[in-house]
């Protein structure tokens, strides 16, 4: 019987290909892969799917394929051509070179993380950035945690655990996935006191809710939506005054929290941390990897006594930052000391301020190579795009951009061919992520900074054939 003539695991392992695999991947992993390749060949023959009995080298080659696939880095680089600059699913901010270098240094060596080199005493890890946050925001002090969700959780637990926190019904935000303010509040052990209505909240609503049980008044930046029409929200300075009258801390969750006025580069201004503090917030919370353009982190900035309480909370230990991100955050913050050069030094800002004409020129340059790679089955056009900042900054604001729209020629199976094309771009060594709009795959070029790398891999694109309009897929 044919199955008996299938090479044994030992026979496969004695082939030169398998020997080379042992040298690369180790004996245990290679033996396991060979076993699976033999089993796959056997299953294939049982089903009658194999034309010939595979020999030992063929099975060894199959095992190497398995090993290569499983050895590839899962968390890897992609081209973000979605038009969303701070794309949460694509890792938000691309870090500045200075931050990359600082992080690499911190990874390679022992560092003075909680050690005061000058005084040879114990230091605190947040010390490396506290001074910078003070300088850049006007805050009295700062504490650093894992992300802004952690900052909000920690602040609420510290100030309002076992007490009440007052929030407007218009600000009970959900920020993608699991960050829902009422849930965070519950986990922080704070009782949520909702005031006002979805569209209108008055100072009077807050005033009536304040009591001896109030731990904090919270204002949350409605990062990813706007309430328009017949609306009223209480300005931060009024809330701050009310909070001060009742000796209750006023916390402002800014979300993105810009450190500089984006207006100077022609972007619509997003509230800055300095302004929020000047408007009377006792504590401000914001992210490190949104508009700030650094590593994932959450920053609590504000009154010294309150920051000290936050830092003493035992939860802080569970939410603290590691040396790698602290090093990156310090280096990123230092760039803000020279704000004039930020569009060059901070990739996030560089992408945000990029001019439409620049991207249109890139699109025109790339069009022939892309047209070549996708073949005759598709048309490629330079198009206008509307990029977004992303991650809940200026949700309705779009930035004029340019890109390429790749559309299937002809209507038969167009939907299926378009999906196959998008998959082919995602299947490149550095996956290219665009979006589908009006029957075309759109590549927004705002965040493309490695044009040569993009072009170099295009010849490997496995675009669907132009004549593959017949097939199982329903015509779109
Ligand atoms: C983004 C955001 C958060 C959560 O911040 P992460 O850094 O993603 O944890 C919290 N509040 C607001 C207002 C936000 O915009």
């Amino acid at each position: 019987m044919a199955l008996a003539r299938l090479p044994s695991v030992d026979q496969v392992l004695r082939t030169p290909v398998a020997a080379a695999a042992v040298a690369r991947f180790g004996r245990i992993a290679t033996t396991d892969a060979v076993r699976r390749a033999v089993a796959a060949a056997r299953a294939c023959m049982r089903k009658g799917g194999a034309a010939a009995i595979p020999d030992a080298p063929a099975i060894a080659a199959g095992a190497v394929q398995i090993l290569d696939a499983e050895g590839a880095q899962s968390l890897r680089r992609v081209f973000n051509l979605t038009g969303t600059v701070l794309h949460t699913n694509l890792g938000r901010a691309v870090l500045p070179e200075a931050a990359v270098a600082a992080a690499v240094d911190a990874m390679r060596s022992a560092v003075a993380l909680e050690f005061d080199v000058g005084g040879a005493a114990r230091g605190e890890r947040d010390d490396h950035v506290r001074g910078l946050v003070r300088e850049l925001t006007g805050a009295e002090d700062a504490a650093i945690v894992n992300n802004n969700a952690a900052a909000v959780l920690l602040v609420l637990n510290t100030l309002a655990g076992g007490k009440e926190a007052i929030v407007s019904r218009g600000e009970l935000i959900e920020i993608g996935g699991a960050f829902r303010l009422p849930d965070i509040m519950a986990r922080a052990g704070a009782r949520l006191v909702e005031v006002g209505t979805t569209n209108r909240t008055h100072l009077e609503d807050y005033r009536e809710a304040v009591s001896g049980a109030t731990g904090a008044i919270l204002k949350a930046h409605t990062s990813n939506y706007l309430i328009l029409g017949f609306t009223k929200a209480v300005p931060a300075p009024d809330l701050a005054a009310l909070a001060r009258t009742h000796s209750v801390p006023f916390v402002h969750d800014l979300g993105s929290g810009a450190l500089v006025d984006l207006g100077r580069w022609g972007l619509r201004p997003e509230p800055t941390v300095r302004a929020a503090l000047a408007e009377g917030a006792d504590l401000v919370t914001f992210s490190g990897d949104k508009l700030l353009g650094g590593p994932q982190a959450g920053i609590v900035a504000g009154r010294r006594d309150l920051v000290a309480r936050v830092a003493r909370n035992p939860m802080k230990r569970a939410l603290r930052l590691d040396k790698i991100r602290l090093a990156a955050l310090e280096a990123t913050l230092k760039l803000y000391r020279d704000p004039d050069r930020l569009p060059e030094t901070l990739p996030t800002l560089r992408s945000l301020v990029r001019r439409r004409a620049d991207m249109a020129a890139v699109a025109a340059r790339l069009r022939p190579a892309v047209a070549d790679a996708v073949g005759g089955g598709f048309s490629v056009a330079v198009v206008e795009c509307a990029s977004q900042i992303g991650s809940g900054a200026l949700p309705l604001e779009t930035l004029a951009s340019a890109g390429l729209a790749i559309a299937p020629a002809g209507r038969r199976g167009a939907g299926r061919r378009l999906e196959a094309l998008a998959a082919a771009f995602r299947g490149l060594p550095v996956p290219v992520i665009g979006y589908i709009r009006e029957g075309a795959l759109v590549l927004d070029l705002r965040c493309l900074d490695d044009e040569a790398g993009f072009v170099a891999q295009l010849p490997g694109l496995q675009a669907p054939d132009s004549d593959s309009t017949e097939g199982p897929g329903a015509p779109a």
Side-chain angles (χ1 to χ4, degrees), residues 88 92 146-152 173 175 179 181 220-224 253-257 270 285-290 296-298 391-393:
T88 298
R92 289 196 186 159
N146 179 59
N147 57 10
N148 190 36
V152 175
I173 52 175
I175 310 282
F179 185 91
L181 199 49
H221 185 47
T222 54
S223 309
N224 48 9
D253 175 24
L254 276 186
S256 227
E270 173 82 357
T285 56
F286 57 103
S287 294
D289 56 352
K290 291 186 180 175
Q296 181 188 302
S391 285

Side-chain angles (χ1 to χ4, degrees), residues 169-451:
R169 288 200 168 88
E171 295 173 2
L172 290 174
I173 52 175
E174 171 179 313
I175 310 282
F179 185 91
R180 307 179 99 191
L181 199 49
D183 298 342
I184 295 277
M185 195 79 88
R187 290 297 165 136
R191 276 191 311 284
L192 170 62
V193 176
E194 302 175 22
V195 296
T197 61
T198 304
N199 57 327
R200 289 174 71 84
T201 304
H202 306 268
L203 186 59
E204 205 45 42
D205 298 326
Y206 287 94
R207 188 177 291 130
E208 280 169 13
V210 182
S211 73
T214 306
I217 295 176
L218 176 69
K219 186 171 183 62
H221 185 47
T222 54
S223 309
N224 48 9
Y225 63 97
L226 285 180
I227 299 180
L228 300 172
F230 186 52
T231 65
K232 175 155 176 39
V234 181
D238 298 350
L239 277 182
L242 176 73
R244 212 170 308 121
T245 310
H246 293 85
S247 303
V248 170
F250 169 46
V251 178
H252 198 159
D253 175 24
L254 276 186
S256 227
L259 288 183
V260 284
D261 177 9
L262 299 176
R264 59 188 284 184
W265 294 290
L267 296 164
R268 271 257 287 285
E270 173 82 357
T272 65
V273 179
R274 186 180 287 280
L277 288 166
E279 284 176 353
D282 294 303
L283 289 180
V284 171
T285 56
F286 57 103
S287 294
D289 56 352
K290 291 186 180 175
L291 279 178
L292 198 152
Q296 181 188 302
I299 300 168
V300 181
R303 250 168 64 186
R304 183 174 294 110
D305 59 327
L306 298 181
V307 170
R309 278 173 63 193
V310 165
R312 274 200 309 273
N313 186 326
M315 278 167 69
K316 166 72 162 65
R317 169 64 192 254
L319 302 173
R320 72 186 185 184
L321 225 58
D322 63 284
K323 65 171 182 176
I324 305 166
R325 285 190 286 150
L326 259 177
L329 183 61
E330 180 188 348
T332 306
L333 289 173
K334 284 204 169 114
L335 299 175
Y336 280 86
R337 285 182 161 162
D338 186 2
D340 296 339
R341 286 188 45 211
L342 281 173
E344 298 137 57
T345 56
L346 199 67
T348 296
L349 195 58
R350 187 164 69 218
S351 293
L352 289 178
V353 302
R354 213 166 159 184
R355 306 226 160 268
R356 202 202 64 85
D358 177 19
M359 290 162 299
V362 175
R365 234 177 2 249
L366 292 179
R367 206 196 65 81
V370 171
D372 230 32
V374 297
F378 295 88
S379 67
V380 183
V382 174
V383 291
E384 309 271 308
C385 298
S387 313
Q388 293 188 324
I389 298 180
S391 285
L394 304 174
L396 300 189
E397 176 98 336
T398 57
L399 308 167
S401 179
L404 294 170
I406 312 169
R411 299 176 71 104
R412 285 202 65 154
R416 189 173 41 77
R417 280 185 293 143
L418 187 58
E419 288 298 336
L421 181 75
F425 271 99
R426 290 196 307 270
L428 287 167
V430 180
V432 172
I433 320 290
Y435 61 93
I436 286 177
R437 183 187 71 192
E438 291 168 7
L441 173 65
V442 178
L443 307 179
D444 183 322
L445 298 171
R446 176 171 294 276
C447 296
L448 181 67
D449 48 14
D450 177 15
E451 216 178 303

